Amino acid sequence: MNRLTAVLLIVVVVYVSLAMCASASRSRRPHPNATQQHHVLPLDLTPEGLWAVHLTIGHRDVHCVVDTGSRHLCVDVPVDPTWVPLPGTPTIAYGTQTATHVRWYNVPVQFVGGDVVVVAVAVTGSRQCSTPRCFDILGLARGPGSIVGVAEFARLRFEFPANGGASHLLLNPPATIATSKNRLPLVPHPSWYIVRIVGVYVRDGNIRRDVDMGEADTMLVDTGANMLGVPPTHTRRMHDALREGGDLVFRLQGEGDAVVEITVPMVMHGGTELLLDSYDTHGHIVLGGRFMRGLSIELCSTYVAIANCPPDQ
């Protein structure tokens, strides 16, 4: 190989290397809507037992229920003439909000102290609710058009201290709480955070009473619910298991042979009625936000991780 050929070969190699680096750099550029930051958002508990957060939508402060069981941002605000209309379904249903008629717009949304992201927002024209009041909803489930995907939230973490202290929603927390002992693989679903139940029992002091849940072997983690949802076919057996008192314990499928237990203290409504809600849960047990006290719950696209949340947080 003569000197000229060697020089030309070196130039080609350097050029290819630079091109590859430039291509990798372009592939690492964040999406225009990516937050790229860690944010801690304060949560407050509504009188109805729902967790809510403040957002700035357009130029308005909006109080939204955080709902991991839905993927839309749905609010009742005046439409700004600068908002860009979008096509979309004209009706959305959420549990107690049986018929919400909406129009869709691309809208700038900002979390408290956070970045502005432009997302599809469903603006309500009218709502029908089976409760005394309706709620604005921040859907945090996964799926096309969800704020979780658009803003590129790799992880969400809810922290609900056991002593009733300040609760928070962490967006893109820098460190994970997930370990091989508390990581629960998700049951495949396009949007919801569903984990597998391997057993249920009532713990009453030193007494353990097993509960036969039959085919209801999955749990939906749903911060937008304020009760423990059970399929109608399982309501009676749940009441029978709990009528003598005690706490409900769910045994959840972890990685490999690992099993993670979470205890659900049965809150009483008016001191007499168990907070069980019987409706079409699609065969799942629905863990509502009211029953997450004392837990840190981390959500991502492949797992849910659950750990104890210390009282002093």
Side-chain angles (χ1 to χ4, degrees):
M1 180 184 296
N2 60 37
R3 179 175 298 179
L4 178 60
T5 302
V7 169
L8 288 174
L9 180 60
I10 291 171
V11 169
V12 169
V13 170
V14 170
Y15 176 81
V16 170
S17 299
L18 289 174
M20 291 176 66
C21 290
S23 175
S25 176
R26 284 193 299 271
S27 68
R28 290 194 297 268
R29 288 176 185 169
H31 186 280
N33 263 336
T35 64
Q36 300 296 307
Q37 295 183 27
H38 163 52
H39 298 298
V40 180
L41 308 180
L43 296 172
D44 58 84
L45 193 63
T46 72
E48 295 81 6
L50 296 165
W51 295 103
V53 67
H54 285 272
L55 305 177
T56 300
I57 298 179
H59 300 289
R60 291 179 173 270
D61 177 74
V62 181
H63 196 223
C64 291
V65 168
V66 289
D67 185 5
T68 57
S70 64
R71 59 186 175 87
H72 303 299
L73 177 53
C74 181
V75 295
D76 182 13
V77 296
V79 174
D80 188 293
T82 63
W83 294 353
V84 178
L86 297 173
T89 178
T91 305
I92 302 176
Y94 299 95
T96 56
Q97 297 185 185
T98 54
T100 300
H101 301 282
V102 300
R103 292 167 294 167
W104 294 84
Y105 298 90
N106 250 353
V107 179
V109 176
Q110 183 178 26
F111 293 94
V112 176
D115 301 327
V116 175
V117 294
V118 178
V119 297
V121 175
V123 179
T124 62
S126 63
R127 296 192 279 198
Q128 298 175 15
C129 305
S130 58
T131 53
R133 66 171 178 148
C134 298
F135 300 95
D136 292 324
I137 304 293
L138 170 60
L140 292 175
R142 300 162 296 132
S146 71
I147 197 169
V148 169
V150 172
E152 297 186 6
F153 296 144
R155 288 197 307 274
L156 310 173
R157 185 157 79 239
F158 293 90
E159 295 183 343
F160 303 112
N163 63 343
S167 297
H168 296 92
L169 167 60
L170 286 68
L171 306 176
N172 286 334
T176 178
I177 63 169
T179 69
S180 59
K181 295 182 179 180
N182 71 358
R183 190 184 293 113
L184 310 173
L186 290 181
V187 174
H189 190 278
S191 298
W192 291 346
Y193 304 98
I194 300 171
V195 296
R196 184 75 61 190
I197 299 172
V198 296
V200 183
Y201 66 92
V202 175
R203 183 173 55 218
D204 190 1
N206 294 326
I207 300 173
R208 168 173 168 161
R209 298 190 298 273
D210 289 324
V211 183
D212 179 12
M213 296 305 295
E215 295 179 356
D217 63 351
T218 50
M219 173 181 285
L220 168 63
V221 180
D222 185 3
T223 58
N226 63 351
M227 300 180 76
L228 188 72
V230 295
T233 52
H234 292 67
T235 305
R236 175 50 54 192
R237 68 183 71 180
M238 191 74 81
H239 272 282
D240 289 345
L242 291 163
R243 65 185 176 185
E244 297 178 19
D247 294 328
L248 199 59
V249 180
F250 288 96
R251 306 184 73 243
L252 306 175
Q253 181 64 61
E255 293 184 342
D257 296 329
V259 173
V260 178
E261 290 194 352
I262 62 169
T263 301
V264 179
M266 286 312 299
V267 181
M268 308 292 285
H269 179 66
T272 59
E273 183 182 352
L274 290 171
L275 285 175
L276 295 177
D277 196 6
S278 178
Y279 61 98
D280 181 9
T281 62
H282 302 281
H284 310 301
I285 300 298
V286 178
L287 182 67
R290 192 194 296 261
F291 298 96
M292 298 179 187
R293 274 293 188 195
L295 299 177
S296 292
I297 300 179
E298 185 171 287
L299 309 171
C300 81
S301 61
T302 58
Y303 68 81
V304 171
I306 299 179
N308 292 326
C309 187
D312 56 353
Q313 285 199 7

